[in-house]
Coordinates of all heavy atoms in Angstrom, one line a residue:
F304 N -16.2 -132.7 -59.8 CA -16.5 -132.4 -58.4 C -18.0 -132.4 -58.1 O -18.4 -132.0 -57.0 CB -15.9 -131.0 -58.0 CG -14.4 -130.9 -58.1 CD1 -13.8 -130.5 -59.2 CD2 -13.6 -131.3 -57.0 CE1 -12.4 -130.4 -59.3 CE2 -12.2 -131.2 -57.0 CZ -11.6 -130.7 -58.2
L305 N -18.8 -132.8 -59.0 CA -20.2 -132.8 -58.8 C -20.7 -133.6 -57.6 O -21.5 -133.1 -56.8 CB -20.9 -133.2 -60.1 CG -22.4 -133.2 -60.1 CD1 -22.9 -131.7 -59.9 CD2 -23.0 -133.7 -61.4
A306 N -20.2 -134.8 -57.5 CA -20.6 -135.7 -56.4 C -20.2 -135.1 -55.1 O -20.9 -135.1 -54.1 CB -20.1 -137.1 -56.6
D307 N -18.9 -134.6 -55.0 CA -18.4 -134.0 -53.8 C -19.3 -132.8 -53.4 O -19.5 -132.6 -52.2 CB -17.0 -133.6 -53.9 CG -16.1 -134.9 -54.1 OD1 -16.5 -136.0 -53.7 OD2 -15.0 -134.7 -54.7
C308 N -19.6 -132.0 -54.3 CA -20.4 -130.8 -54.0 C -21.8 -131.2 -53.5 O -22.3 -130.6 -52.5 CB -20.6 -129.9 -55.3 SG -19.0 -129.2 -55.8
E309 N -22.4 -132.2 -54.1 CA -23.8 -132.6 -53.6 C -23.7 -133.2 -52.2 O -24.5 -132.9 -51.4 CB -24.3 -133.6 -54.6 CG -24.7 -133.0 -56.0 CD -25.2 -134.1 -56.9 OE1 -25.0 -135.3 -56.6 OE2 -25.8 -133.7 -58.0
A310 N -22.7 -134.0 -52.0 CA -22.5 -134.6 -50.6 C -22.3 -133.5 -49.6 O -22.8 -133.5 -48.5 CB -21.4 -135.6 -50.6
M311 N -21.4 -132.5 -49.9 CA -21.1 -131.5 -48.9 C -22.3 -130.6 -48.6 O -22.6 -130.3 -47.5 CB -20.0 -130.6 -49.4 CG -19.6 -129.5 -48.5 SD -19.0 -130.1 -46.8 CE -17.5 -131.0 -47.3
L312 N -23.1 -130.3 -49.7 CA -24.3 -129.5 -49.4 C -25.4 -130.2 -48.6 O -26.1 -129.7 -47.8 CB -24.9 -129.0 -50.8 CG -24.1 -128.0 -51.6 CD1 -24.8 -127.7 -52.9 CD2 -24.0 -126.7 -50.7
A313 N -25.4 -131.5 -48.8 CA -26.3 -132.3 -48.0 C -25.9 -132.3 -46.5 O -26.8 -132.3 -45.7 CB -26.4 -133.8 -48.6
R314 N -24.7 -132.4 -46.3 CA -24.2 -132.3 -44.9 C -24.5 -130.9 -44.3 O -24.8 -130.8 -43.1 CB -22.7 -132.7 -44.8 CG -22.4 -134.1 -45.2 CD -20.9 -134.3 -45.3 NE -20.3 -134.0 -44.0 CZ -19.0 -134.0 -43.8 NH1 -18.1 -134.2 -44.8 NH2 -18.5 -133.7 -42.6
L315 N -24.2 -129.9 -45.1 CA -24.5 -128.5 -44.6 C -25.9 -128.3 -44.3 O -26.3 -127.5 -43.5 CB -23.9 -127.5 -45.6 CG -22.4 -127.4 -45.7 CD1 -22.0 -126.5 -46.8 CD2 -21.8 -127.0 -44.4
Q316 N -26.8 -128.9 -45.1 CA -28.2 -128.7 -45.0 C -28.7 -129.1 -43.6 O -29.7 -128.5 -43.0 CB -29.0 -129.5 -46.0 CG -30.5 -129.3 -46.0 CD -30.9 -127.9 -46.5 OE1 -30.4 -127.4 -47.5 NE2 -31.7 -127.3 -45.7
E317 N -28.1 -130.1 -43.0 CA -28.5 -130.5 -41.6 C -28.2 -129.5 -40.5 O -28.9 -129.5 -39.5 CB -27.8 -131.9 -41.3 CG -28.1 -133.0 -42.3 CD -27.3 -134.2 -42.0 OE1 -26.5 -134.2 -41.1 OE2 -27.5 -135.3 -42.7
V318 N -27.2 -128.7 -40.7 CA -26.8 -127.7 -39.7 C -27.0 -126.3 -40.0 O -26.9 -125.4 -39.2 CB -25.3 -127.9 -39.3 CG1 -25.1 -129.3 -38.7 CG2 -24.4 -127.7 -40.5
C319 N -27.4 -126.0 -41.3 CA -27.6 -124.6 -41.7 C -29.0 -124.5 -42.2 O -29.3 -124.8 -43.4 CB -26.6 -124.2 -42.8 SG -24.9 -124.3 -42.3
P320 N -30.0 -124.0 -41.4 CA -31.4 -123.9 -41.9 C -31.6 -122.9 -43.0 O -32.6 -123.0 -43.7 CB -32.1 -123.4 -40.6 CG -31.2 -123.7 -39.4 CD -29.8 -123.6 -40.0
Q321 N -30.7 -121.9 -43.2 CA -30.8 -120.9 -44.2 C -30.1 -121.2 -45.5 O -30.0 -120.4 -46.4 CB -30.4 -119.6 -43.7 CG -31.1 -119.1 -42.4 CD -30.6 -117.8 -41.9 OE1 -30.0 -117.0 -42.6 NE2 -30.8 -117.5 -40.6
L322 N -29.7 -122.5 -45.6 CA -28.9 -122.8 -46.8 C -29.7 -122.7 -48.1 O -29.2 -122.2 -49.1 CB -28.3 -124.2 -46.7 CG -27.3 -124.6 -47.8 CD1 -26.1 -123.8 -47.7 CD2 -26.9 -126.1 -47.6
D323 N -31.0 -123.1 -48.0 CA -31.8 -123.0 -49.2 C -32.1 -121.6 -49.7 O -32.4 -121.4 -50.9 CB -33.1 -123.7 -49.0 CG -33.0 -125.3 -48.9 OD1 -31.9 -125.8 -49.4 OD2 -33.8 -125.9 -48.2
T324 N -32.1 -120.7 -48.8 CA -32.4 -119.3 -49.2 C -31.2 -118.4 -49.5 O -31.3 -117.3 -49.9 CB -33.2 -118.6 -48.0 OG1 -32.4 -118.6 -46.8 CG2 -34.5 -119.4 -47.7
D325 N -30.0 -119.0 -49.2 CA -28.8 -118.2 -49.4 C -28.5 -117.9 -50.9 O -28.0 -116.8 -51.3 CB -27.6 -118.9 -48.8 CG -27.5 -118.7 -47.3 OD1 -28.2 -117.9 -46.8 OD2 -26.8 -119.5 -46.7
G326 N -28.9 -118.8 -51.8 CA -28.6 -118.6 -53.2 C -27.1 -118.7 -53.6 O -26.3 -119.3 -52.8
V327 N -26.8 -118.0 -54.7 CA -25.4 -118.1 -55.2 C -24.7 -116.7 -55.3 O -23.5 -116.6 -55.5 CB -25.3 -118.8 -56.6 CG1 -25.8 -120.2 -56.4 CG2 -26.1 -118.1 -57.6
C328 N -25.5 -115.7 -55.2 CA -25.0 -114.3 -55.4 C -24.4 -113.7 -54.1 O -23.8 -112.6 -54.2 CB -26.1 -113.4 -56.0 SG -26.6 -113.9 -57.7
N329 N -24.7 -114.3 -53.0 CA -24.2 -113.7 -51.7 C -24.6 -112.3 -51.5 O -23.8 -111.4 -51.2 CB -22.7 -113.9 -51.6 CG -22.1 -114.0 -50.2 OD1 -22.9 -114.0 -49.3 ND2 -20.8 -114.2 -50.1
I330 N -25.9 -112.0 -51.5 CA -26.4 -110.6 -51.4 C -26.7 -110.4 -49.9 O -27.3 -111.3 -49.3 CB -27.7 -110.4 -52.3 CG1 -27.3 -110.7 -53.7 CG2 -28.2 -109.0 -52.1 CD1 -28.5 -110.6 -54.7
W331 N -26.4 -109.2 -49.4 CA -26.6 -108.8 -48.1 C -27.3 -107.5 -48.1 O -27.1 -106.6 -49.0 CB -25.3 -108.7 -47.2 CG -24.7 -110.1 -47.0 CD1 -24.0 -110.8 -47.9 CD2 -24.7 -110.8 -45.8 NE1 -23.6 -112.0 -47.4 CE2 -24.0 -112.0 -46.1 CE3 -25.2 -110.6 -44.6 CZ2 -23.8 -113.0 -45.1 CZ3 -25.0 -111.6 -43.6 CH2 -24.3 -112.8 -43.9

Side-chain angles (χ1 to χ4, degrees):
F304 297 89
L305 182 61
D307 295 335
C308 293
E309 292 177 346
M311 181 59 66
L312 288 178
R314 295 174 58 189
L315 291 173
Q316 183 67 48
E317 299 177 357
V318 295
C319 300
Q321 301 179 20
L322 188 63
D323 288 338
T324 62
D325 282 346
V327 297
C328 296
N329 206 359
I330 301 175
W331 293 74

